[in-house]
Amino acid sequence: ETGVTQSPTHLIKTRGQQVTLRCSSQSGHNTVSWYQQALGQGPQFIFQYYREEENGRGNFPPRFSGLQFPNYSSELNVNALELDDSALYLCASSLLGRGVVGYTFGSGTRLTVV
Amino acid sequence: DAKTTQPPSMDCAEGRAANLPCNHSTISGNEYVYWYRQIHSQGPQYIIHGLKNNETNEMASLIITEDRKSSTLILPHATLRDTAVYYCIVNQAGTALIFGKGTTLSVSS
């Protein structure tokens, strides 16, 4: 059973640029969520995808967008990067519809905006 | 906002039981109690969840009070590797996890 893998592990971008982060869900999972974790804080929910449709969104602006693909992999796109976007970005997958299960998290992508 | 309240930090001696409390007085009937932990620089790790009955797995035990307004996560024999931030979360199955600040558990020898 493979876990959740994220790429890249670290990334440095300049303010105003755009970035794409990638996530491969755990095998058999149909739901993927993205979280932003600033230093010293708990993870903050960005959005969730179920069967390629967004089915929940946190308090993040539209410049944060995402995609889920038929193979349940996912992307997080952030446009017009700001310095405050510097954080650890976490992807989590789960299986909806087959009882209650927990989310499996990846190790995250550390994004630094300069 | 998180619907749970946890102490910011706790200490535990290696080999002893670690009992981590959580208050969730506004929990709804269809909401579960989940526990996750996050070891430094890693993604959160699922530990256990429950609805109203006590639960046990290979990692921990979860004790939920009869009124469901509080719970306790028990690590029966804490090791140094259990040093982490522990998050108690209540939510409906399949919905977003809303993390609070969690409890930083420090296990020492």
Side-chain angles (χ1 to χ4, degrees), chain B residues 38-99:
Chain B
Q38 188 171 26
I39 296 170
H40 183 61
S41 297
Q42 297 181 22
Q45 177 189 25
Y46 164 80
I47 302 173
I48 198 167
H49 74 273
L51 184 62
K52 44 183 150 179
N53 298 322
N54 297 337
E55 302 287 345
T56 295
N57 63 19
E58 65 279 3
M59 289 182 68
S61 295
L62 174 60
I63 309 297
I64 302 174
T65 57
E66 194 168 338
D67 63 7
R68 303 216 315 132
K69 293 186 177 182
S70 65
S71 61
T72 301
L73 178 74
I74 301 172
L75 308 178
H77 305 287
T79 71
L80 298 178
R81 288 178 295 180
D82 292 322
T83 293
V85 179
Y86 287 77
Y87 296 100
C88 170
I89 299 168
V90 298
N91 76 334
Q92 297 177 31
T95 62
L97 299 174
I98 307 300
F99 289 82

Side-chain angles (χ1 to χ4, degrees), chain A residues 96 99-101 103, chain B residues 30-32 34 91-96:
Chain A
L96 288 192
V100 179
V101 298
Y103 285 84
Chain B
N30 61 350
E31 289 182 318
Y32 289 77
Y34 291 84
N91 76 334
Q92 297 177 31
T95 62

